[in-house]
Amino acid sequence: MPEGREKKTGDVSGRTIGRLSLYRRLLTDLARDKIKNVFSHQMAELTGGTAAQVRRDMMAIGYNGSPVHGYDVAELIVSIDDFLDAPQGTRMCLVGVGNLGRAILSFFAGRRPKLAVVAAFDSNPEKTGRVIAGCRCYPIEDLARVVAAERITVGVLAVPPEAALGMADRLAAAGIKGIANFSPLPLRAPAEVYVEDIDITMSLEKVAYYARQGTVREEKLS
Amino acid sequence: MPEGREKKTGDVSGRTIGRLSLYRRLLTDLARDKIKNVFSHQMAELTGGTAAQVRRDMMAIGYNGSPVHGYDVAELIVSIDDFLDAPQGTRMCLVGVGNLGRAILSFFAGRRPKLAVVAAFDSNPEKTGRVIAGCRCYPIEDLARVVAAERITVGVLAVPPEAALGMADRLAAAGIKGIANFSPLPLRAPAEVYVEDIDITMSLEKVAYYARQGTVREEKLS
DNA sequence: GCCTGTGAAGCTATTCACAGCT
DNA sequence: AGCTGTGAATAGCTTCACAGGC
């Protein structure tokens, strides 16, 4: 291993990545309330985990707290930013401007500068050409061109199920590196594309199931 | 244990419940295509799992296939229905009729009779009184009354983060048994209420993270 | 041969529990 | 006394691998 520091990412579990995202939002709230330090058991309380788990997650990103003051809120936010965010930010596109797509757009509009939806695509000509929640909407035909021009690396797939597979292929072909798939069937994508399936129907059926059995306890984080 | 057959539910993992929901949709598609039988390896292929896992999940619901013909599609659908669905169906309500809420409403409108959104609630008087995607919209004040009158057991929470905790409490107080929480912070609810957190922000940040590391492989099912 | 059902093994994630620090 | 960091133990989930059946 001749030159350069090997970045020690990739050996961190997906669960931990998810929790880091959660911790960061929590810490941002704490910082807004002018809270300077926080203990693992407090973070656990607020995020619904255990203190030991919080400490393990801190280990994963190599952040060290102090036994006296716990974790420094501002420092920890920076550490998580460094770990999670691409330095230049991540540029995403939305495919499928339906209700769900619009919900995602308006949710992210201007929120987190490092994670921006910079283009949307739809097959319906009534939607293309317009600007929705601050995001230009293009026809599907322009996908490859815009993805390349805008240096987009992540696609958010919110199209009807029957269109999902085809669109995933187009995204992969356009050089996208990750897909968030909201359609209710798992995608089979080329190995170099990371796919996260967010299956809302499944989640609701799960809730319905457990709501019926009185006795079962909370299951964390979708 | 004096009388009655003890229903052997509750000992099945949440992961399995989720996959069963997925299998059922897959099987419904197969049935529509007049396919009568299916092997575990085929189901695995189509759902992105392994054959061994499919067989384990069949064990969990006590369904037995035949070594010769594999699983009978129609029978298996019935078995999964029996296992997952409440006999009288599950009546849900939506709290928060924004973009996301409407997306969920239109997605479920008339789709699955055993899982119906029968009421919606919003604090905005412009939305209340109307019928959206076939679903009557009430003011928040009517929540407890309507939940009781309509025998609603599941709440779908799609309100802005700052309102989420309060609404969760109202749902719990109204006697709801399960909550699907779409707000970007985990809920702390009374132990008898099952909570499933569906954290879209977290999912997108996860995709962004893995999209940056080229090399990491797919992680199944949110 | 090719399937299912399943005990046993293997993995991964979480929790325990304690040394070390202040 | 009360915290962090972490090896060791535990729990939970998935895969292996093979017996049994046609």
Side-chain angles (χ1 to χ4, degrees):
Chain A
M1 218 176 286
E3 65 169 2
R5 311 232 283 82
E6 185 66 341
K7 210 152 193 281
K8 71 123 197 316
T9 45
D11 51 351
V12 176
S13 86
R15 304 289 257 273
T16 296
I17 301 297
R19 283 191 300 264
L20 287 169
S21 158
L22 191 56
Y23 297 150
R24 173 162 60 181
R25 273 173 282 160
L26 166 69
L27 291 164
T28 307
D29 290 350
L30 294 181
R32 197 177 357 261
D33 297 348
K34 303 277 185 276
I35 292 169
K36 295 273 182 274
N37 303 281
V38 64
F39 295 119
S40 60
H41 64 88
Q42 300 174 304
M43 290 179 60
E45 171 78 16
L46 291 162
T47 56
T50 69
Q53 181 146 84
V54 171
R55 296 202 298 272
R56 277 263 182 254
D57 290 336
M58 296 304 103
M59 276 181 76
I61 62 169
Y63 181 76
N64 276 28
S66 131
V68 182
H69 301 109
Y71 302 100
D72 182 291
V73 173
E75 274 180 28
L76 183 46
I77 291 175
V78 172
S79 287
I80 297 178
D81 284 348
D82 285 351
F83 187 84
L84 287 185
D85 296 340
Q88 358 66 284
T90 300
R91 300 167 67 79
M92 308 190 290
C93 67
L94 169 70
V95 182
V97 188
N99 278 311
L100 181 57
R102 273 196 300 273
I104 294 166
L105 274 186
S106 57
F107 198 73
F108 272 82
R111 269 280 220 105
R112 190 179 293 295
K114 291 286 189 142
L115 198 59
V117 181
V118 297
F121 301 94
D122 203 289
S123 56
N124 182 342
E126 286 190 23
K127 287 173 184 158
T128 62
R130 297 173 45 200
V131 174
I132 298 171
C135 180
R136 179 83 187 278
C137 185
Y138 302 87
I140 298 284
E141 291 70 37
D142 294 356
L143 196 145
R145 185 179 62 74
V146 175
V147 164
E150 295 277 2
R151 303 186 315 286
I152 292 169
T153 57
V154 167
V156 177
L157 200 50
V159 297
E162 59 276 12
L165 220 60
M167 286 303 130
D169 289 344
R170 293 187 75 143
L171 284 168
I176 282 282
K177 295 285 191 297
I179 297 178
N181 171 38
F182 285 88
S183 71
L185 47 88
L187 288 185
R188 192 139 298 287
E192 69 273 17
V193 178
Y194 175 83
V195 177
E196 173 99 9
D197 294 309
I198 298 132
D199 187 332
I200 293 175
T201 303
M202 174 193 293
S203 295
L204 293 194
E205 291 194 333
K206 218 164 133 182
V207 176
Y209 175 82
Y210 283 115
R212 180 155 73 99
Q213 330 292 120
T215 51
V216 190
R217 198 58 276 262
E218 185 158 350
E219 174 121 340
K220 282 284 70 163
L221 286 177
S222 87
Chain B
M1 218 177 286
E3 65 169 1
R5 311 233 282 82
E6 185 68 340
K7 208 149 194 284
K8 71 122 199 314
T9 46
D11 52 351
V12 176
S13 86
R15 304 288 257 274
T16 296
I17 302 297
R19 283 189 301 262
L20 286 170
S21 157
L22 191 56
Y23 297 151
R24 173 162 60 181
R25 272 173 282 161
L26 166 68
L27 291 164
T28 306
D29 290 349
L30 294 181
R32 196 177 358 260
D33 297 348
K34 304 277 185 276
I35 292 169
K36 295 273 183 275
N37 304 281
V38 64
F39 295 118
S40 61
H41 64 88
Q42 299 174 305
M43 290 179 59
E45 171 78 17
L46 291 162
T47 57
T50 68
Q53 181 143 82
V54 170
R55 296 201 299 271
R56 277 265 180 250
D57 291 336
M58 297 304 103
M59 276 182 77
I61 62 170
Y63 180 75
N64 276 26
S66 130
V68 181
H69 301 111
Y71 303 100
D72 182 291
V73 173
E75 275 180 28
L76 184 46
I77 290 175
V78 172
S79 287
I80 296 178
D81 285 349
D82 286 352
F83 187 86
L84 287 184
D85 296 340
Q88 357 67 282
T90 300
R91 300 167 68 78
M92 308 191 288
C93 68
L94 170 70
V95 182
V97 188
N99 277 313
L100 181 57
R102 272 195 300 272
I104 293 166
L105 275 187
S106 57
F107 198 73
F108 272 81
R111 268 276 221 107
R112 189 179 292 296
K114 291 285 188 139
L115 198 58
V117 181
V118 298
F121 301 95
D122 203 290
S123 55
N124 182 342
E126 286 189 24
K127 287 173 184 159
T128 63
R130 298 172 44 199
V131 173
I132 298 172
C135 180
R136 179 84 185 277
C137 185
Y138 302 89
I140 298 283
E141 291 71 36
D142 294 356
L143 195 145
R145 184 180 61 72
V146 175
V147 163
E150 295 277 2
R151 303 187 315 288
I152 292 169
T153 56
V154 167
V156 177
L157 200 50
V159 299
E162 58 276 13
L165 220 59
M167 286 304 129
D169 289 345
R170 292 186 77 144
L171 284 168
I176 281 281
K177 294 286 191 297
I179 297 179
N181 171 38
F182 284 88
S183 71
L185 46 90
L187 287 184
R188 190 139 298 287
E192 69 273 17
V193 178
Y194 175 83
V195 177
E196 172 98 9
D197 295 309
I198 298 131
D199 187 331
I200 293 175
T201 303
M202 174 194 293
S203 296
L204 293 194
E205 291 194 333
K206 220 164 130 182
V207 176
Y209 175 82
Y210 283 115
R212 181 154 71 100
Q213 330 292 121
T215 51
V216 191
R217 198 56 278 263
E218 186 158 349
E219 172 121 343
K220 282 282 70 165
L221 284 175
S222 86

